[in-house]
Amino acid sequence: MPHRRLDLSGSTHALLDAVVAISSDLDLHSVLLRIVESAAELTGAQYAALGVIGRDGDLSDFVTTGLDDAEREAIGAPPHGRGILRLLVDHPEPLRLQDLSAHPASYGFPAHHPPMRTFLGVPVRVRGAVFGNLYLTQKSPVEGVAEPEPGFTDEDVALVEALASAAGFVIGNARAYGLSERRREWLEAAAVLGEHLQPPVDRGDTLVRVAEATRTVGRARAAAVLRLPTGPQAPTIVALACHEAQREAFTDLLEAALPLVAGHVDAVEGPLPEPVDLEVEGQAVVLVPVRTHLTSPVALAVVTDLAHGPQDVEERELLVSFADQAALSLDRAQALAERAQMAVVSDRERIARDLHDVVIQRLFATGLQLQGVGMLTTDREVAARVDRAVDDLDATIRDIRGTIFALRHRSVATLRDELDELVGDAAPLLGFTPLLRTEGPVDTAVPARVREHLLPVLREALSNIARHAEAGAAWVTLGVDDGEVTLRVEDDGRGLPVERVESGLRNAAHRAEGLGGSLELAPREPRGTVLVWRARAGS
């Protein structure tokens, strides 16, 4: 049976061409622009737009055609959904007007907006839910027809409704494709992070990589890893990813957010169960918990413009999923580190056992033999030398026993360990690792009361260097002498500013005074600053 060619009307041909046009791309923004252009071409409208309804019910995106760049710039910010636009959002049904300004819901136009009278609005649905609305204005007159200001016809309404119906499927496909691409980007970032976390693991570098991946893949202005408090301590910034020129600004912004973070942590009295939205100095900060089990609790802080945060449910779920993947990677790295530490502890125990069971026993037996030789000789000089050798052996045995004790009791975290960790956490923010040196028995001579104030003071000092000093190196020295603990922090930065806010330094001074000590801040030669914090070890 021969194929019969259907004779289609011009409007049907135009509609089919429009459907083909909007189906030829998978990028969501390109699809929306093609839909707007096709709707304008189908109806002969001079201006067309598609307003996307956001999670808050306002228009989150507004794609237009018919306006050039100069006209868009003169009009200003796109509409958020008032007047007739709001009417269509609240009542998603086709709306046709001969004169926009005559409708009771008309809100008016901003300055420099081109005149618009005739109007046609049609909702666009994706899988039954309203995605947005098509807006068409200023229908062009039909050639050869003398009509002063033609309005949209019933045929225009039918064509645009048919286009909107087809557009719903195309938008759904484009969104699904975009979501799959976003999922691929997040999974790839998580895989790269997992590959990086191979022993030996640099914990500071790892947290920087987590923050950088979050900022890049999340298309954020900045991203940071925050250590959450587990007691009276305040949250702290341990890694920050942003453009280098904006580092100081984002550091200040996040420090302003820390009290809000602490409030949310205190409210739940435990790990954050879900993401938290904060508004700080006109910026949106999304706090996403990183649910680790083996490491101290941390969270991702993602900084965006208020209008461009991760509002979509799918995008937020991808961010949460990445945080969970990062938590697994951090736990795995911690487990590897603990396994390596257990191997070291096992080796230390074996060495201690061998020293006790073999070396000491042999030295002791040798000492007994020498004592026997000393009793047999009648030469006093030989006897004296034998006695000295036996004494040396006794001293050696005592030293070895001290070594055995140290080997078997090294598993307890020391103050030096905590200082190492704190300095390592500050390295990503500083851009370098400060040189740490201890003088005297800091692990045993610094009491717990001084220790709990010492670490926050050092953290504040390093934070000040990162924010203000523009330093290339820093030195941290902790010493204990004659009952006094002295913390000295130096940098080679730009020195003390003329005007500075000293709230952190005031807190450090109060801590020192409460422990019978003092705080001194002075210039360093040839450049930089020296902070000296003192406290009485017996306080």
Side-chain angles (χ1 to χ4, degrees):
M1 181 176 179
H3 176 73
R4 185 177 63 177
R5 180 179 179 85
L6 297 176
D7 293 328
L8 301 177
S9 65
S11 60
T12 306
H13 269 301
L15 178 60
L16 290 175
D17 291 341
V19 172
V20 171
I22 66 176
S23 305
S24 61
D25 206 325
L26 285 174
D27 176 70
L28 182 58
H29 184 79
S30 299
V31 167
L32 298 182
L33 183 58
R34 287 178 184 271
I35 292 171
V36 170
E37 293 172 343
S38 298
E41 185 176 348
L42 277 176
T43 59
Q46 184 178 355
Y47 305 105
L50 197 157
V52 179
I53 301 174
R55 190 174 61 171
D56 58 358
D58 289 339
L59 299 182
S60 62
D61 196 6
F62 201 72
V63 183
T64 65
T65 186
L67 298 171
D68 58 31
D69 292 340
E71 288 175 317
R72 288 191 184 91
E73 185 176 354
I75 293 172
H80 295 289
R82 298 177 181 175
I84 299 297
L85 304 186
R86 170 55 60 181
L87 181 65
L88 272 168
V89 171
D90 295 338
H91 304 283
E93 299 293 337
L95 177 65
R96 180 171 40 161
L97 301 173
Q98 187 65 30
D99 186 357
L100 271 170
S101 60
H103 195 280
S106 178
Y107 187 77
F109 296 107
H112 309 294
H113 198 285
M116 295 181 180
R117 288 174 59 83
T118 56
F119 174 84
L120 173 61
V122 175
V124 178
R125 289 179 169 84
V126 177
R127 297 186 177 91
V130 177
F131 172 80
N133 291 294
L134 268 171
Y135 308 111
L136 305 164
T137 63
Q138 293 301 96
K139 181 177 175 65
S140 301
V142 179
E143 187 176 349
V145 178
E147 188 175 352
E149 190 166 9
F152 292 97
T153 64
D154 292 339
E155 183 182 22
D156 292 330
V157 176
L159 286 172
V160 175
E161 283 188 304
L163 177 66
S165 179
F169 292 102
V170 176
I171 291 171
N173 290 337
R175 293 177 73 184
Y177 174 76
L179 180 60
S180 68
E181 281 296 291
R182 295 294 292 144
R183 183 177 290 114
R184 181 191 61 79
E185 292 174 2
W186 281 112
L187 288 174
E188 187 175 284
V192 170
L193 180 63
E195 291 175 0
H196 170 72
L197 292 178
Q198 301 296 330
V201 176
D202 184 331
R203 182 169 173 273
D205 181 54
T206 297
L207 295 179
V208 170
R209 285 176 179 266
V210 171
E212 187 59 48
T214 304
R215 182 185 76 90
T216 303
V217 184
R219 300 166 187 171
R221 299 190 65 197
V225 178
L226 307 182
R227 175 178 284 116
L228 301 182
T230 55
Q233 300 86 1
T236 56
I237 305 169
V238 295
L240 173 62
C242 63
H243 291 298
E244 195 59 36
Q246 299 175 309
R247 181 169 294 276
E248 183 174 349
F250 281 120
T251 299
D252 292 341
L253 173 72
L254 289 169
E255 288 191 342
L258 293 181
L260 300 176
V261 174
H264 281 283
V265 174
D266 291 342
V268 298
E269 297 181 350
L272 289 176
E274 298 293 339
V276 176
D277 291 296
L278 305 174
E279 181 180 344
V280 184
E281 299 178 1
Q283 303 286 320
V285 179
V286 181
L287 193 68
V288 182
V290 180
R291 293 181 272 255
T292 56
H293 299 284
L294 302 179
T295 63
S296 56
V298 295
L300 290 174
V302 185
V303 182
T304 63
D305 294 323
L306 283 176
H308 298 91
Q311 303 297 327
D312 292 343
V313 174
E314 296 89 351
E315 187 70 22
R316 183 168 292 239
E317 288 178 349
L318 289 175
L319 180 58
V320 172
S321 177
F322 174 76
D324 289 340
Q325 291 293 326
L328 290 174
S329 297
L330 292 173
D331 278 345
R332 176 180 175 274
Q334 181 66 23
L336 291 173
E338 290 180 357
R339 187 175 71 176
Q341 185 177 9
M342 287 301 297
V344 172
V345 170
S346 178
D347 280 345
R348 297 168 76 95
E349 179 63 29
R350 178 184 57 79
I351 294 170
R353 185 172 59 250
D354 289 346
L355 287 174
H356 181 273
D357 296 344
V358 178
V359 177
I360 287 183
Q361 296 303 321
R362 288 181 179 176
L363 290 175
F364 188 73
T366 302
L368 289 178
Q369 291 177 3
L370 287 175
Q371 284 182 326
V373 171
M375 295 175 62
L376 295 175
T377 183
T378 57
D379 190 322
R380 292 184 178 180
E381 183 177 352
V382 173
R385 289 185 179 184
V386 169
D387 289 341
R388 285 196 297 271
V390 171
D391 292 340
D392 290 340
L393 287 175
D394 288 340
T396 303
I397 290 173
R398 286 195 299 271
D399 292 341
I400 292 176
R401 283 175 173 163
T403 302
I404 292 172
F405 179 84
L407 286 170
R408 287 176 170 171
H409 295 79
R410 180 61 179 172
S411 59
V412 178
T414 64
L415 177 58
R416 171 73 194 210
D417 294 333
E418 293 183 330
L419 294 173
D420 277 331
E421 181 179 8
L422 198 156
V423 168
D425 286 344
L429 293 176
L430 293 167
F432 57 86
T433 302
L435 179 63
L436 173 64
R437 184 174 61 188
T438 57
E439 300 173 349
V442 296
D443 289 333
T444 57
V446 179
R449 186 184 176 200
V450 176
R451 187 168 170 167
E452 69 181 12
H453 291 283
L454 173 68
L455 296 173
V457 169
L458 177 56
R459 185 179 294 111
E460 175 67 25
L462 295 176
S463 175
N464 282 337
I465 294 174
R467 284 180 296 161
H468 307 300
E470 298 179 3
W475 300 266
V476 177
T477 304
L478 178 65
V480 180
D481 183 40
D482 195 23
E484 184 176 72
V485 179
T486 303
L487 174 66
R488 184 181 182 91
V489 183
E490 304 176 60
D491 67 78
D492 64 351
R494 61 183 181 179
L496 296 171
V498 177
E499 297 181 1
R500 60 183 185 272
V501 178
E502 295 188 343
S503 58
L505 294 178
R506 281 199 299 271
N507 290 338
H510 291 328
R511 291 176 184 273
E513 291 168 1
L515 297 169
S518 62
L519 174 71
E520 299 173 10
L521 199 63
R524 176 181 177 273
E525 296 297 335
R527 64 192 302 266
T529 306
V530 179
L531 179 147
V532 181
W533 186 86
R534 294 185 175 88
R536 297 300 303 173
S539 299

